[in-house]
Amino acid sequence: MPKEIPGIHHVTAIAGEPQQNIEFYADFLGLRLVKLTVNYDDPETYHLYYGDEDGHPGTILTFFPWPGAPGGRKGAGQVTTTSFSIPRDSVRYWVERLGKHEVAFTGPVDRFDEQLISFSDPDGLNLELVAHAGEIRRGWGRGSVPREHAIRGFFGVTLSEEGYEKTSSLLTETMGFKLTKQEGNRFRYAARSGGPGATVDLLCQPDARPGVVSVGTVHHVAWRTPDDGQQKMWREELVEAGLNVTPVIDRKYFHSIYFREPGGVLFEIATDPPGFAIDERKEELGTRLMLPPQFESFREHLVQVLPRVKLPKMA
Ligand code: ZN
């Protein structure tokens, strides 16, 4: 079977205060907190996962909150905008909601075949709501936003790059994306399967300063792969293409490999299985601190050092 990347698996960014992050993404944007855990590489830091009801790949935005850390700098070699998908008829609802919650925004404006609204989260992370026809995913119905207007998952990501040729070759010649549209310095690529969550915009910005990862910036973007076998094949092919790829790392809810694309953005390829229901019942996702076995014996210590947070309510 030929291997394929069906689109985005997740996006991981750095936040400031975890409580503020939960209130923005769950209480305001209406995403489900699907997992409350710790950063496996730094367990005194939370790892917050938001998504749809099940935390399907393509809907998962995750954060490492670094309270008190300085703000990062968005720039070249980073994902500089993360775009969510909303139904075509939900633009008015979201314009009103943003206004009511006093979130500064621009738009709606047209771009290619979509309408989009741009704004930032409280830490300065750039977000878009992209309204378009052809969204078939279901929104979560028990969050703070009615199901009909709920965010359906990712529309895509925008990479800012000093140049675009090498990144473009990696996307099209190795990773199976196609160049579908271009306007000015924006090059749009789509995973072969197409559809929402499969879009990458590459912004060619030769004068942009390199980005600095800290609060308010994206740490990495992960692409989907259906299973461990295909991930192994990806690893071999990427190594052959001259990239430095990590070994497979067990992230409990998925298995991951990481590498830096030629423009400097950290890419990950993550498996769809096993998913977030591996250690919690679906109804209870995100309702308590989940730890992998290696940290379970430090639970008491971790609960003491992690900032206390109030979890979102479900309808
Ligand atoms: Zn990741």
Side-chain angles (χ1 to χ4, degrees):
M1 193 172 64
K3 63 191 186 314
E4 189 192 350
I5 287 175
I8 296 169
H9 185 285
H10 66 267
V11 173
T12 293
I14 311 296
E17 295 293 332
Q19 186 63 50
Q20 180 179 254
N21 187 257
I22 291 172
E23 285 168 14
F24 188 81
Y25 286 94
D27 300 340
F28 171 59
L29 286 182
L31 304 179
R32 184 176 189 185
L33 179 69
V34 290
K35 197 64 68 180
L36 178 71
T37 183
V38 296
N39 181 345
Y40 290 3
D41 299 323
D42 174 19
E44 295 187 0
T45 297
Y46 276 121
H47 196 179
L48 306 172
Y49 289 79
Y50 303 92
D52 68 357
E53 182 166 2
D54 299 318
H56 282 115
T59 72
I60 309 156
L61 177 60
T62 96
F63 287 93
F64 299 133
W66 295 354
R73 183 172 75 206
K74 292 180 276 283
Q78 280 183 339
V79 171
T80 46
T81 303
T82 302
S83 305
F84 294 113
S85 175
I86 57 169
R88 180 144 234 158
D89 299 331
S90 296
V91 172
R92 221 168 105 192
Y93 170 86
W94 279 101
V95 163
E96 277 171 20
R97 187 169 176 85
L98 286 155
K100 209 167 94 190
H101 289 257
E102 296 176 350
V103 177
F105 65 94
T106 57
V109 295
D110 293 328
R111 189 173 65 206
F112 300 126
D113 305 324
E114 307 99 35
Q115 266 201 310
L116 62 110
I117 308 169
S118 312
F119 54 101
S120 300
D121 84 356
D123 294 311
L125 192 76
N126 287 346
L127 302 170
E128 287 174 348
L129 295 175
V130 179
H132 60 106
E135 175 59 80
I136 51 163
R137 294 173 291 183
R138 233 162 89 95
W140 188 41
R142 291 180 62 205
S144 56
V145 170
R147 189 191 291 279
E148 55 177 318
H149 298 304
I151 287 172
R152 303 307 207 243
F154 293 119
F155 177 82
V157 288
T158 300
L159 315 178
S160 291
E161 306 275 13
E162 254 187 294
Y164 74 96
E165 284 90 350
K166 287 184 181 168
T167 302
S168 178
S169 313
L170 173 71
L171 289 172
T172 57
E173 285 160 31
T174 307
M175 294 174 66
F177 285 77
K178 310 184 281 239
L179 177 66
T180 56
K181 289 173 182 138
Q182 194 216 328
E183 198 178 270
N185 64 340
R186 181 181 293 271
F187 299 80
R188 172 160 292 181
Y189 300 83
R192 206 176 299 136
S193 57
T199 304
V200 187
D201 280 2
L202 203 159
L203 270 187
C204 183
Q205 299 178 307
D207 299 327
R209 290 200 295 171
V212 176
V213 171
S214 191
V215 174
T217 64
V218 170
H219 188 267
H220 64 268
V221 54
W223 308 102
R224 293 174 58 188
T225 191
D227 56 46
D228 294 322
Q230 289 202 28
Q231 182 179 60
K232 189 163 169 267
M233 283 156 58
W234 278 117
R235 191 178 182 285
E236 282 160 13
E237 186 164 341
L238 291 162
V239 168
E240 229 161 81
L243 293 154
N244 277 319
V245 190
T246 66
V248 176
I249 300 174
D250 184 0
R251 297 304 189 192
K252 187 155 186 159
Y253 310 108
F254 43 85
H255 305 144
S256 301
I257 56 173
Y258 302 83
F259 59 100
R260 239 171 242 287
E261 58 83 25
V265 182
L266 185 59
F267 277 9
E268 171 181 349
I269 293 180
T271 55
D272 284 357
F276 294 99
I278 190 178
D279 59 355
E280 276 179 301
R281 292 198 304 132
K282 187 176 141 179
E283 305 76 56
E284 290 172 349
L285 290 176
T287 57
R288 57 185 287 259
L289 178 67
M290 300 307 297
L291 296 173
Q294 68 267 35
F295 300 135
E296 202 48 73
S297 54
F298 305 110
R299 178 177 282 271
E300 223 169 287
H301 167 75
L302 292 175
V303 167
Q304 264 179 15
V305 297
L306 288 163
R308 194 148 291 188
V309 289
K310 204 167 149 255
L311 296 179
K313 280 200 245 5
M314 273 189 261

